């Protein structure tokens, strides 16, 4: 795939489902060519064919496991390719852990930390090499409103994304690169289903659509905002999560260990 004059390319991780698929769709609708990243090559090819057909854009597929050094290196190399520059990076790939920290296997926690912290950091670093040299670029890190609460390693990882994105936006906006952490709340995607989460735990009014989260996230990034919290209801939720005592945002208390 080649970049022609006045045409833009976006790279989206976790692009075959959920928010990643919606980011790809809305970017394609606005005329962006795409580099689609996920583990499942067949699903990537199907998604690429669908977007090319529907929006008359070019969609490149890049199968990669972003919890591995090899997978991350492949995507980073693509981002560093100045001959085929990426104008927009969407760091969306993510997983959730349903059990408590002490009940998870350490390997699961390492994979979780890699995917939510180390991988987006490495991909941002690679993207910035070309974006800063060109004097333009956009980066969105898909975080969560959980970043403002105290909910184990998921909140901790997403808090890193928020802090990093806010700092990077302040630092690089003057050089033409806008960085935004998008912080959705409960959103109708495959994410919670893959976790095995009971979606009835959250009332219906708290559930958002992927279309709205992505639309507001892209708009806030274009406006130069370091953090995007979709909808007024979640702006309120995030405010109280920040000011309430930690014990009130940490979730239900753990059951005592059996004697």
């Amino acid at each position: 795939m080649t970049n022609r004059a006045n045409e833009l390319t976006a790279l989206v991780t976790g692009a075959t489902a959920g928010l990643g698929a919606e980011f790809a769709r809305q970017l394609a609708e606005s005329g962006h060519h795409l580099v689609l990243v996920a583990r499942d090559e067949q699903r990537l090819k199907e998604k690429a064919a669908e977007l090319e057909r529907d929006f008359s854009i070019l969609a490149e597929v890049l199968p990669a496991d972003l919890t591995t050094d090899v997978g991350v290196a492949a995507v980073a190399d693509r981002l560093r390719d100045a001959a085929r520059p990426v104008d927009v990076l969407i760091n969306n790939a993510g997983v959730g852990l349903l059990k408590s920290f002490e009940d998870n296997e350490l390997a699961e926690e390492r994979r979780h930390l890699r995917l939510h912290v180390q991988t987006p950091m490495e991909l941002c670093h690679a993207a910035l090499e070309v974006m800063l040299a060109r004097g333009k670029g956009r980066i969105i890190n898909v975080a969560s409103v959980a970043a403002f609460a105290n909910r184990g390693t998921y909140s901790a990882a997403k808090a890193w994304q928020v802090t990093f994105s806010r700092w990077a936006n302040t630092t690089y906006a003057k050089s033409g690169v806008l960085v935004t952490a998008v912080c959705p709340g409960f959103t109708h995607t495959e994410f919670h289903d893959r976790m095995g989460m009971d979606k009835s735990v959250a009332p219906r009014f708290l559930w958002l659509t992927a279309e709205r989260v992505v639309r507001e996230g892209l708009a806030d990034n274009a406006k130069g905002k370091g953090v995007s919290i979709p909808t007024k209801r979640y702006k309120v939720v995030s405010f109280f999560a920040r000011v309430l005592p930690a014990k009130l945002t940490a979730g239900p208390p753990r059951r005592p260990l059996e004697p």
Side-chain angles (χ1 to χ4, degrees), residues 87-115:
D87 303 275
V88 182
L89 167 62
I90 309 292
N91 275 316
N92 165 76
V95 294
L97 298 174
L98 189 62
K99 294 184 290 186
S100 297
F101 175 71
E102 72 280 3
D103 294 325
N104 291 323
E105 295 292 334
L106 184 57
E108 292 180 304
E109 289 287 351
R110 284 175 173 163
R111 177 173 176 268
H112 180 268
L113 185 66
R114 174 67 193 258
L115 192 58

Side-chain angles (χ1 to χ4, degrees), residues 221-240:
N221 177 250
K223 294 173 185 174
K225 294 185 178 181
V227 178
S228 172
I229 303 173
T231 75
K232 291 181 179 178
R233 79 198 79 156
Y234 274 109
K235 288 180 173 63
V236 172
V237 169
S238 66
F239 170 79
F240 281 107

Side-chain angles (χ1 to χ4, degrees), residues 79-245:
L79 289 166
R80 292 191 185 99
D81 188 348
R84 300 180 298 159
V86 169
D87 303 275
V88 182
L89 167 62
I90 309 292
N91 275 316
N92 165 76
V95 294
L97 298 174
L98 189 62
K99 294 184 290 186
S100 297
F101 175 71
E102 72 280 3
D103 294 325
N104 291 323
E105 295 292 334
L106 184 57
E108 292 180 304
E109 289 287 351
R110 284 175 173 163
R111 177 173 176 268
H112 180 268
L113 185 66
R114 174 67 193 258
L115 192 58
H116 288 283
V117 177
Q118 184 176 340
T119 292
M121 179 273 291
E122 292 183 14
L123 297 186
C124 283
H125 194 274
L128 282 166
E129 290 183 26
V130 177
M131 290 180 177
L132 291 174
R134 299 177 73 215
K136 62 178 180 178
R138 297 171 64 182
I139 297 174
I140 288 178
N141 296 313
V142 178
S144 170
V145 74
F148 308 109
N150 298 281
R151 305 299 295 269
T153 51
Y154 185 76
S155 284
K158 292 305 183 179
W160 183 92
Q161 291 186 352
V162 169
T163 300
F164 174 81
S165 299
R166 185 185 287 120
W167 166 82
N169 191 58
T170 301
T171 301
Y172 300 120
K174 63 177 85 66
S175 300
V177 180
L178 305 177
V179 184
T180 303
V182 174
C183 301
F186 292 107
T187 306
H188 289 295
T189 67
E190 295 179 9
F191 180 82
H192 299 96
D193 296 328
R194 290 199 305 268
M195 286 176 60
M197 173 184 164
D198 178 6
K199 295 169 74 172
S200 67
V201 299
R204 292 178 61 183
F205 76 89
L206 282 180
W207 287 91
L208 307 177
T209 65
E211 187 279 333
R212 181 168 185 179
V213 170
V214 171
R215 173 167 43 84
E216 293 193 22
L218 287 171
D220 284 344
N221 177 250
K223 294 173 185 174
K225 294 185 178 181
V227 178
S228 172
I229 303 173
T231 75
K232 291 181 179 178
R233 79 198 79 156
Y234 274 109
K235 288 180 173 63
V236 172
V237 169
S238 66
F239 170 79
F240 281 107
R242 282 177 286 207
V243 300
L244 287 173

